Amino acid sequence: MAAASRPLLERRPEGLYCEAGDFFVDPWRPVARAVITHAHADHARPGHGAYLAAAPAEGVLRARLGAGIALQALGYGEAVEVNGVRVSLFPAGHVLGSAQVRLEHRGEVWVVSGDYKVEPDPTCAPFEPVRCHTFVTESTFGLPIYRWAPARETFAGIDAWWRANAAAGRASVLFCYAFGKAQRILAGVDASIGPIVCHGAVEPLNRAYRAAGVALPPTSLVSEVADRRSLAGALVLAPPSAGGSTWMRRFPDPSDAFASGWMAVRGARRRRAVDRGFVLSDHADWPGLHAAIGASGAERVFVTHGYVPVMVRWLESQGLDAQSFETEFGGEEGDGDAGPGGAAPAEAGGSAARGPDATAAGADEAAP
């Protein structure tokens, strides 16, 4: 690795700062220039002077932060020079428009992963390994207990639950994060089972996905349904914050479920007080994290959020220079919607940044 007087990224009160380029990556306080990995609210915040993000994220970012933000959209693999730092973006496989940020300066290459998953997802570009000297990774599900089954198995389970409820004349209310998770579910379920209706927090994001060319089945707003009896047999997608609210009163005798990676932990479904729990995450599991880190070829790894101490110790045991960046990213809880906060599952035996119902409106995945 080329010698450098200072690290290419450092933590400042505003966020992760690249001094050589005079910009921040996913800052949590207002700054002049921000490079954004994806549009979840713990990574893309309002108030920055200028934004740089992947082109597929433009519609969602403008929907969430305002149509008038100063946004430069960059295609995957394209590069721009920012004060002598070469910046390029590569798919992270997390949600629509999610990107890993590659920074190159004086022969040194860093990659900031943002949030990512390595499992294929038809609603976003697949994760693409990027070689680097230093890899900055998340660790939301950085424990050996988190190992995802193939998504097709989870969707088969959701279909069977929905089909049985429809046969019994019951609505199937599936709580999921409004941005990313909801659209992935829409693309994965069997839409022939019945009508699909969505909460008002979900439907605008469905429109943004369709505008970006992502194929989703027809959906409508729950508020547009004139005859509530027609909701019997429907699949209803709603953010976790809708659970237990007056909004639920429009569904007579519904069956409810929650879709999240946290459903892999014993007791999570009980704490959510839902009928079913489906294990489905837009973050890498334990094997996926290791695969991504290994594919980067990095000699040094910084861990930003999730089960940080566990991941750092494991990486050190593998002979890597592993450290941590203290950040204000929320992991799966940072993908969540407004609602009561929750802690990471006690059974997990580690610490996560927060839990899956993050209180920042528009973030999209938090702890149960």
Side-chain angles (χ1 to χ4, degrees), residues 225-247:
V225 178
D227 184 357
R228 293 186 181 180
R229 291 174 297 180
S230 66
L231 293 173
L235 176 65
V236 183
L237 300 186
S241 55
S245 71
T246 56
W247 184 84

Side-chain angles (χ1 to χ4, degrees), residues 28-29 70 80 100 119 135 175-176 190 198 229 284 286 292 323 328 331 355 359:
W28 42 85
R29 295 183 186 175
V80 293
Q100 303 170 80
E119 185 178 22
F135 188 60
F175 298 115
C176 55
D190 179 0
C198 296
R229 291 174 297 180
W286 177 256
Q323 304 173 49
E328 296 185 15
T359 53

Side-chain angles (χ1 to χ4, degrees), residues 50-149:
Y51 296 79
L52 173 67
E58 181 171 2
V60 177
L61 280 169
R62 292 194 185 279
R64 295 196 138 194
L65 301 178
I69 60 171
L71 173 62
Q72 180 180 0
L74 196 64
Y76 287 132
E78 295 180 4
V80 293
E81 295 280 336
V82 182
N83 297 324
V85 176
R86 186 176 176 85
V87 180
S88 50
L89 305 176
F90 294 85
H94 178 52
V95 293
L96 178 64
S98 59
Q100 303 170 80
V101 179
R102 183 185 185 276
L103 308 175
E104 182 176 356
H105 182 63
R106 296 180 178 176
E108 184 177 2
V109 177
W110 287 48
V111 170
V112 182
S113 73
D115 291 333
Y116 63 93
K117 69 175 179 290
V118 297
E119 185 178 22
D121 176 349
T123 67
C124 63
F127 179 88
E128 182 177 326
V130 183
R131 304 287 291 184
C132 58
H133 300 113
T134 301
F135 188 60
V136 182
T137 182
E138 65 143 314
S139 184
T140 302
F141 289 101
L143 287 178
I145 61 171
Y146 293 115
R147 300 172 185 269
W148 311 144

Side-chain angles (χ1 to χ4, degrees), residues 157-184:
I158 294 173
D159 286 342
W161 167 73
W162 177 17
R163 191 176 290 111
N165 292 332
R170 305 176 72 190
S172 300
V173 180
L174 182 54
F175 298 115
C176 55
Y177 306 111
F179 169 38
K181 183 66 62 62
Q183 293 73 38
R184 187 181 179 195

